[in-house]
Amino acid sequence: MENKKRIYSAVQPSGMLTLGNYLGAIRNFPLLQEEYDCLYCVANMHTLTVRQDPELLRERIYALLALYLACGLDPEKNILYLQSQVPAHAELSWVLGCYTYMGELSRMTQFKDKSSRHADNINAGLFTYPVLMAADILLYQTDFVPIGRDQKQHLELARDIAIRFNKLYGDTFKVPEPLISKQGAKIMSLQEPNKKMSKSDENVNNFILITEDPDKIMKKFKKAVTDSDGEIRYDEENKPGVSNLINIYGALKNLSTEEVEKAFSGLRYGDFKTAVGEACVETLTPIRARYEELMADKGYLDGIFKENAVRAGAYAEKTLKDVYAKVGFVL
Ligand code: ATP
Ligand code: LTN
């Protein structure tokens, strides 16, 4: 394990995962498990920035681990763990918060976006969330962070914090690089293709869940918003709906934009939507079956969490101790 480069990523268990989460993030994870030393976190602490129902949150924590496994992550080859079971995250987050400026946090688009969507609950956690994310990544001396494009700004902040700390105290943190896949990096909403597909969207027709049943998937694609020009051509600005469907199909079938345009040139939107729906069902059906099996065995999932909290904790403690020593705490 030691000489391999390290990969770190996390997903929030704030809802059932969407096709956007799958194509933008999770799908890429198993491709990395042979070549890299990988950690994937269930980022439950991040979810409290928005009100959660406790019972539902507990269920979604298991569901996310089950999805990690169902999407092909091997629990022996990767460290799959729960954020709150490794106390070093909260501890490092406090320290790093003292090396992060209010101005930097105010510029985060996700903060601006979520505070306008949850105007009645603009809590301090929502504001300092990127600091916790920086702590997640920096604790593990991460080389690469596979993320969707929307998280790039947070990763840049994590890099800035690492560089700042290293300048003050000498080499402490590895400065991480983002890994953003070209296709699938930003899957848009099916009804409002100018905004990203998001699991916390109130309109269920805007997203496809990884665990959604085939009928619903087909229905949602058939209803997807397109345009009136009738041509299956990629043009993000003028044809956001069709471009999104091209992206989705390309990502599912591993085809380039040009290859998708060629394959469907001259066809009607209706036929294209059916093809995209079918490709999606084909990919998601085996994942859903495995997910359901795993969710029926919480004992197994608990065992993975327990074991991996210890494995992750060993890495994290090492970095935290170094930080505490560098800032002048007595160990
Ligand atoms: P929320 O809408 O509740 O903020 P989310 O759906 O954006 O959540 P996250 O948990 O924030 O999901 O993201 C998990 C991973 O999935 C991240 O790496 C993120 O970049 C990626 N991701 C999320 N939505 C999309 C999308 N529409 N297209 C591509 N990647 C996405
Ligand atoms: N902020 C991310 C989830 C997240 C994450 C991380 C991603 C939390 N900690 C560390 C990569 C690395 C999100 O909302 N998608």
Side-chain angles (χ1 to χ4, degrees):
M1 270 286 249
E2 264 75 63
N3 295 325
K4 290 183 178 175
K5 296 263 188 200
R6 188 161 300 154
I7 296 260
Y8 185 93
S9 199
V11 177
Q12 293 192 57
S14 54
M16 293 305 288
L17 298 195
T18 69
L19 183 64
N21 297 129
Y22 179 69
L23 294 177
I26 302 191
R27 175 178 76 146
N28 305 318
F29 297 172
L31 308 175
L32 305 163
Q33 66 193 6
E34 305 299 335
E35 204 181 322
Y36 297 94
D37 180 9
C38 303
L39 292 108
Y40 297 107
C41 170
V42 175
N44 60 326
M45 289 162 70
H46 279 90
T47 67
L48 294 187
T49 55
V50 173
R51 290 280 171 268
Q52 303 289 334
D53 172 80
E55 274 317 307
L56 206 53
L57 178 58
R58 219 181 321 277
E59 191 68 11
R60 283 170 173 169
I61 288 171
Y62 287 116
L64 181 52
L65 176 61
L67 271 179
Y68 276 163
L69 298 166
C71 291
L73 285 176
D74 179 334
E76 301 289 324
K77 290 185 184 154
N78 305 275
I79 299 184
L80 309 175
Y81 76 102
L82 181 60
Q83 188 182 30
S84 61
Q85 291 181 344
V86 179
H89 288 254
E91 294 171 291
L92 182 63
S93 181
W94 170 256
V95 176
L96 297 184
C98 301
Y99 297 83
T100 309
Y101 298 108
M102 301 286 284
E104 291 177 302
L105 294 174
S106 327
R107 282 195 289 277
M108 296 292 120
T109 38
Q110 185 171 303
F111 170 70
K112 290 193 250 179
D113 187 49
K114 288 207 175 167
S115 49
S116 70
R117 274 196 284 148
H118 303 273
D120 54 337
N121 180 23
I122 306 178
N123 59 70
L126 196 62
F127 190 67
T128 58
Y129 166 118
V131 178
L132 180 59
M133 177 162 163
D136 297 342
I137 299 166
L138 299 180
L139 270 178
Y140 297 94
Q141 304 299 340
T142 303
D143 294 283
F144 300 109
V145 186
I147 38 170
R149 222 188 289 156
D150 62 305
Q151 293 300 316
K152 192 162 174 265
Q153 197 187 27
H154 289 161
L155 189 84
E156 275 159 11
L157 179 66
R159 288 170 54 89
D160 290 343
I161 297 172
I163 293 168
R164 185 172 303 150
F165 195 96
N166 289 347
K167 265 205 190 121
L168 284 166
Y169 300 100
D171 262 359
T172 308
F173 298 119
K174 188 157 271 172
V175 181
E177 304 279 343
L179 271 187
I180 301 178
S181 70
K182 275 213 194 83
Q183 262 177 341
K186 195 157 187 192
I187 301 299
M188 309 307 281
S189 149
L190 295 181
Q191 296 297 317
E192 297 163 70
N194 288 313
K195 66 178 200 187
K196 81 166 184 154
M197 183 181 286
S198 160
K199 56 178 133 73
S200 47
D201 204 307
E202 319 83 59
N203 180 355
V204 295
N205 285 322
N206 277 339
F207 55 75
I208 301 285
L209 297 178
I210 301 183
T211 50
E212 197 129 19
D213 73 63
D215 279 358
K216 277 210 188 126
I217 296 179
M218 293 307 293
K219 271 196 197 124
K220 287 186 182 184
F221 274 110
K222 281 185 188 149
K223 273 196 218 149
V225 163
T226 48
D227 52 56
S228 55
D229 123 296
E231 208 184 327
I232 300 172
R233 178 171 49 84
Y234 195 86
D235 178 349
E236 243 176 65
E237 208 165 298
N238 301 305
K239 297 166 67 65
V242 171
S243 302
N244 188 36
L245 293 175
I246 292 177
N247 262 341
I248 293 175
Y249 191 83
L252 288 167
K253 294 281 197 184
N254 283 319
L255 295 173
S256 68
T257 305
E258 296 73 32
E259 286 170 323
V260 180
E261 283 175 334
K262 220 185 211 164
F264 290 94
S265 107
L267 283 185
R268 284 189 314 211
Y269 284 168
D271 299 330
F272 180 45
K273 287 184 194 178
T274 304
V276 183
E278 281 166 357
C280 184
V281 169
E282 190 183 292
T283 302
L284 297 184
T285 300
I287 297 177
R288 178 165 165 245
R290 181 71 186 125
Y291 164 82
E292 279 166 7
E293 268 170 31
L294 288 160
M295 282 301 274
D297 190 354
K298 299 271 166 61
Y300 173 69
L301 298 175
D302 270 325
I304 291 182
F305 273 145
K306 208 165 256 162
E307 208 173 288
N308 284 286
V310 177
R311 289 166 79 197
Y315 287 117
E317 275 302 318
K318 202 161 161 253
T319 303
L320 184 69
K321 284 239 164 72
D322 185 29
V323 168
Y324 277 1
K326 290 218 165 101
V327 298
F329 290 175
V330 173
L331 295 181

